[in-house]
Each structure stands twice: as C-alpha cells, then as structure tokens.
Amino acid sequence: MKRFFRTLTAAVLSVALLSTPAFAGYYPDKAHTPLDYAEMSWTEFDETLLTQALDELESLAQSKALQARTRQVHSQAARLYRQVLEGYDALYTQMTLAMIRYDGDYTNADASQAYTQRLDRLTVLFDRCLTVLQALARSPHADILERDGGQDWADALYYYEPMTGEELSLFQQETALVTQYEQLLNSDYDPGDMARLYLELVEVRTALARLYGYDSYADYAYAVSYSRDYTPREITAVEDTVKAGFPQLLSAIGSAMEADFDALYDLPGASGQQRLDEIGSYIGLIHPELEEAFSFLREHHLYDLDEGEAKLPLGYTVELPSYGSAFIFDAPYGSAADYATVIHEFGHFNNSFHITDRILWAGNTMDVSEIQSQALELLFTEYAGDIFGELGPAFRWYQVYSILSSVLDGYLYNEFERAVYADPDITAEELSPLFLSIVDSYGGGYEENDWMEVTHLFQSPFYYVSYGTSALSSLDIWLTSLTHRAQAVDAYMTISALPTTVSYGEAVEQAGLRDIFDESALAALARELGDAIEAELGVKADLPAMGRPRMGVSTREEQIFTLVLAACCAAAFLGSMGILALVLRRRKRRLMRESGFSPRSSARPREDPWD
C-alpha cells in the first residue's frame, strides 16, 4: 500500500552568505540574503548542484559504501545531504520567481513557459530526491535525516515508493487543467465551459486518490495534502453549528455597520508603498519581534502590491528558500480592503521569514498558517483609528465581519466540494444549482456562478475549510484581546513561530486556545462574539442552540501511518495543487459584495552517534 509524504508549504533554508541576528524571544536564528527582488534572476534553472549530489549519493549506496560505519562516510553523506537541500532550494526558488513573473503578466509567454516547465521538472526531481535519500534512511547514517527533519521524516523516507508513470501522467494532466483554468478565468468565459473544466479536474483528482488507496478525494486531501488532524466527518459537525448561529452574527454586524462599510469602501485606494508606510508604523506595536521581517520586506522590495493590466487576480505569499525569505504578491481591489490584504499576507511572510523547516520536508498545516494571518488582521484593528480616522471603527468591524465571513465561506465551499467529489454522476449543469442550495443554508450572499472564480476550488481543492477553522481560532484570539491583550498577543506570537510540522490541534493547545470541535467551546465562542457585537454596536444577534459533541479524533498511530504513506506521493503532489496552491498559500480574490465591500472571507533529534 502506498503512503504519502507530507506536502510542501514553507521554506526556509538560506544560503549561508549572511546571518541576521534574531530576537531571543519567539523566533529562532536564521540567515537571510540581503538582496532586492529586482536583483533576483529568474531566467536560470541549473540542475548541476542537485544532480551531482544525487549521483554521488546514489553511487555510494549502490557500491554498499554507505553501509560502512565510519566517520569518513558519515561526513561525506552529511555533506551530500546538505548539497541536495541547497540544490533543491535553488531550483524551487527559480520556479517561484518564474511564477511571480507569470502572475504579474499572464501574457508573458517566456515566464509562462519557464514556470510550467520548471514545475514539471521539479516534480521529477523531487521524486528522485526522495528515492535517493531513502538509501540514507536505510543506512547507519539515518541520524543525519533525523537531526534535520525529525524521526518522522526519516521514517517516511524509509518506506517511500518512487512515483509511477501513471501518477506522473495524472499530475501532469492536473497541471495542464489548472493552467487552462487560469487562462479561462482571465477571459470572457462561458460558464458551461468552466463547469466542464472543473469536472475534468474532479475526475483526475479522484483517480489520483483511488490510485493511492483512498475511497474519496476528500479523505486524501485532508490526510495528505494538508496533514490535518481532523477528518471530513468531524468537520460536518462544525458546519452544522456554524450554519445554526454564525449567519446571525454576520447579519448583526452588517445591519449596524452597512453605511460605515459603504463609506469605508468609498475611500480612494492607496498605493502599495503607502499601505506599507502606514502599516509599518504600527506593526511593531503589536509586538517588537514583528519589526524585523517587516523591515526586511520593505528594504528589499519583496512585494508586488500595485495594479497591473495583465496581472492575475491573486493574492499570496511564496517562499524564496535560497534567500531565506519570501515574496508577497497581490492584485489590489483599490479600496480599504487592500490594507487588510497586506496585513494578512505579512502574517504568512513573517512565518516564512523566521521558521527553519527545510522545503524538502516541511509540513503543510494550512489551518495553522491561516491563523498566523487572520489573527494578525484582527490584532491590528487596535490601530485602525490612527489610519482611518473617524472610519477607524468601520475598519475594525470590517475586519471582524471579514473573518466571520471566512468562517461561513470556509465551511460553505468545503460542503460544496465534498458534495461534488462524492457524486460521480453529477453533471456540469447541476453544479451551480447545488452551489446555490448550499449557499442558502449559510444565509445566502452569492450568485449561482460565483464559485467559478474561487480559484482554490480549481487550484487547491479542500483548502478553503482551513479559512473557516483558522478563522474560529483567530476570533478566539481577538476576543481574548478585548480584555487581556498581552495574553492574546502571546498566543498569536506563539502560533506565528510554529514550524510547518505542527498540527492544528497541537497549535491551538500550545497557544491555549479553544477546541472548536467541542460543542460547548464553539457555542461559548459564538455567545462571546454576540456579546461583543451588542456591547460595541448595540445590536443583538439572536443565537439558537448550536453544535454537536466532537467525534473521535485520529490516534497518534493513525497519524504516523498516514505520514509514512505520504512519502509515496509528495513528488507527484508538487503538481498544480502542491505548488500552485499549498506551497504558495494562494488566496482567492473574493468577489465584491453588492453592498460594495468585500469581506474576506517534532520528533526530538537523536543523539549523533558519530560525535
């Protein structure tokens, strides 16, 4: 039976050129290359460093020399392993730089071709990396892997099975279909064509899930693509609770603040530079340790935040592991919402800037990643009045409305995806009516074809539920901040510093947050939100009884079982879903509401026996 390796989300190696001192608080030491984005060349893709290291390590394994328990062999294997990591990081960085160019100008044929070719090539190289490193995992020198990525990483490699031609073919089909979607999205497309394209993706992805032994793509995506420690079945109970009461909370804010939201939306848009200037004046007031990453972002122009004629309608943060940094990309709305986007994406940037996970073995806990962004948006509302003056309260409650909207949207789109993937006979004509029926159960607010412009559904299926789950925990942090701000900031900073291998459940426990799968905890969260709305806005949300008890969670044995399985598909997963969405944390550019505003919605290393 095949098992899949945790997919890639964070980056974080840096070339050992310069080191930047880190604070002795939440974040570890890490090296960062002080290079401006404009100086980063995207036209090179030299595989020499990586393939030489792989060839040499493979030769050691084939000659049986790797089995020798000598300090010399151990030193050689460690050197080659580091070279593999650095070589892979370099190619990954070049792929992402080409992607940024393409997203900034989708008419740039050279960037488009470079990005697609590099993505396909990285899929093959990633598979070879894991295949060759398996020999290291099965040698007396496995401690090299355990020291770097932990025991789970070494175990996953030990049982890794190389990608087959069938797997590669399916992932290449997926990549081609996602590229076709991106081109279609930026044209005057026919909704029927979009629906049929979506079902083609569903068919390909369902085939992949079955190939890996999963009955449903939802189960596959939750366990493998996102390393979640909860199941699709568990999340249905949360969906029921959310549908029962959260639309009332959203409606209460909307009814009280509609005119203020309209006034906020009518404010003229600000340039990316202006937004960074204003946000930068306050980011360190949340916590001083946030200033280092923000200053580096600005000093080296690691962002594209302004409008562009041929710019894809996306917002995301992507890692640049060779430089020990990241890049923020955004196609702005031209409204006050753009401030929220910068704050949100900086939450991702800050984590990528500081964490020291390697891109080759990093985990993929999107639920944790989104808390790092959504909670920062909410904590920043403390300074809304300084930026927006008398409309400060409007921006503050716009953010709360936005995160509440993310709760509803997260579970709405998750329910839609689950229904589509569970019905092999569904037709293109049935998709939009299905979507509308689910929308109605969440309080309405969307048109029948709005789902077609939710890029996550095409690029990274079953991602969207992470927005709902993380939004609930982010609201938990915000509610705490109303009475105990220092405690709330500490919870946020704790989560902001977590490596990518920490699960959602582990993260909320470390930060002292509530278990959203617990009926009483989620109901209490809703009541406290209702109290805050009533206290500040004078509007009462009529909340019914909500929620059901939490179902059983996966055991540690089951989680490790899935992790080991995951080693067999990570290479293939570097396809459209892995790179286009998970690694890049792409966020859908939400449709503007009729009202005129757009709420957005380790194992301990073993002692080295060779010391």
Side-chain angles (χ1 to χ4, degrees), residues 209 214-225 230-233 462 562:
Y214 283 84
D215 293 332
S216 72
Y217 188 82
D219 289 335
Y220 163 82
Y222 272 56
V224 178
S225 305
Y230 57 86
T231 67
R233 184 184 175 194
F462 291 99
T562 301

Side-chain angles (χ1 to χ4, degrees), residues 194-333:
M194 190 69 87
R196 285 184 287 274
L197 175 62
Y198 182 63
L199 288 184
E200 286 186 64
L201 276 166
V202 169
E203 183 178 359
V204 169
R205 287 164 174 160
T206 299
L208 279 168
R210 288 175 179 166
L211 182 64
Y212 295 132
Y214 283 84
D215 293 332
S216 72
Y217 188 82
D219 289 335
Y220 163 82
Y222 272 56
V224 178
S225 305
Y226 304 105
S227 303
R228 290 180 177 132
D229 54 359
Y230 57 86
T231 67
R233 184 184 175 194
E234 285 179 283
I235 213 67
T236 59
V238 179
E239 288 171 351
D240 291 342
T241 302
V242 166
K243 283 190 284 189
F246 279 74
Q248 292 90 317
L249 295 169
L250 200 67
S251 178
I253 298 174
S255 64
M257 300 296 293
E258 182 176 2
D260 297 281
F261 285 165
D262 287 341
L264 186 68
Y265 176 72
D266 287 338
L267 290 177
S271 68
Q273 196 73 11
Q274 181 181 342
R275 280 174 276 146
L276 289 171
D277 286 342
E278 294 182 302
I279 292 169
S281 298
Y282 301 98
I283 200 74
L285 297 181
I286 297 176
H287 197 284
E289 290 191 38
L290 296 174
E291 290 182 329
E292 182 188 9
F294 198 86
S295 296
F296 195 91
L297 164 76
R298 300 215 54 196
E299 182 179 356
H300 300 293
H301 306 96
L302 299 171
Y303 54 84
D304 179 356
L305 302 174
D306 291 312
E307 296 179 0
E309 244 179 71
K311 199 172 189 179
L312 285 175
L314 300 168
Y316 61 81
T317 298
V318 60
E319 296 84 352
L320 300 173
S322 285
Y323 302 112
S325 189
F327 188 90
I328 295 177
F329 181 97
D330 182 51
Y333 295 118

